Amino acid sequence: MTAYCLFQNLEITDMEKMQTYATTVEPITNAFGGKYVTKAGEVDVKEGDWAPTYPVIIKFPSLDAARIWYDSEEYAPLKALRESAGRFSAVIIEGNTE
């Protein structure tokens, strides 16, 4: 069953590091079956007080694939780079419509 990884960039404190992350992460993500659905598109909040500033959604073929990618040795240095560049929230959500 499909899964989605949702990142919310809460605060970027080092734009240079974040740009390095952004230009190098996609090939590793793709190697684990991940495909970017959106990177910081326009947001139109309809309910609640959620205020995303730069949401990123990545689609994976399964919950296990998303978890394997997130915990992988290949992604670990990029995850550390991203974490050193600001504050973020992330969730992995299993799709249940397919």
Side-chain angles (χ1 to χ4, degrees):
M1 189 174 297
T2 301
Y4 298 88
C5 186
L6 170 61
F7 285 95
Q8 166 55 0
N9 298 339
L10 301 170
E11 176 186 21
I12 304 299
T13 56
D14 189 325
M15 188 55 74
E16 186 175 325
K17 287 182 180 179
M18 195 63 206
Q19 288 174 339
T20 300
Y21 171 85
T23 60
T24 57
V25 70
E26 195 163 352
I28 290 170
T29 304
N30 292 345
F32 284 84
K35 302 292 179 201
Y36 284 81
V37 175
T38 188
K39 296 178 189 177
E42 181 180 338
V43 175
D44 183 10
V45 177
K46 296 296 188 188
E47 296 182 24
D49 58 2
W50 192 51
T53 56
Y54 196 103
V56 175
I57 300 172
I58 308 168
K59 180 180 180 179
F60 285 89
S62 68
L63 191 58
D64 284 341
R67 288 175 174 155
I68 290 168
W69 164 77
Y70 188 81
D71 295 330
S72 71
E73 290 180 15
E74 294 86 346
Y75 181 59
L78 288 173
K79 183 177 11 175
L81 177 64
R82 177 180 50 78
E83 290 170 344
S84 73
R87 294 185 315 110
F88 307 88
S89 293
V91 296
I92 298 174
I93 306 164
E94 185 175 47
N96 62 7
T97 60
E98 297 178 20

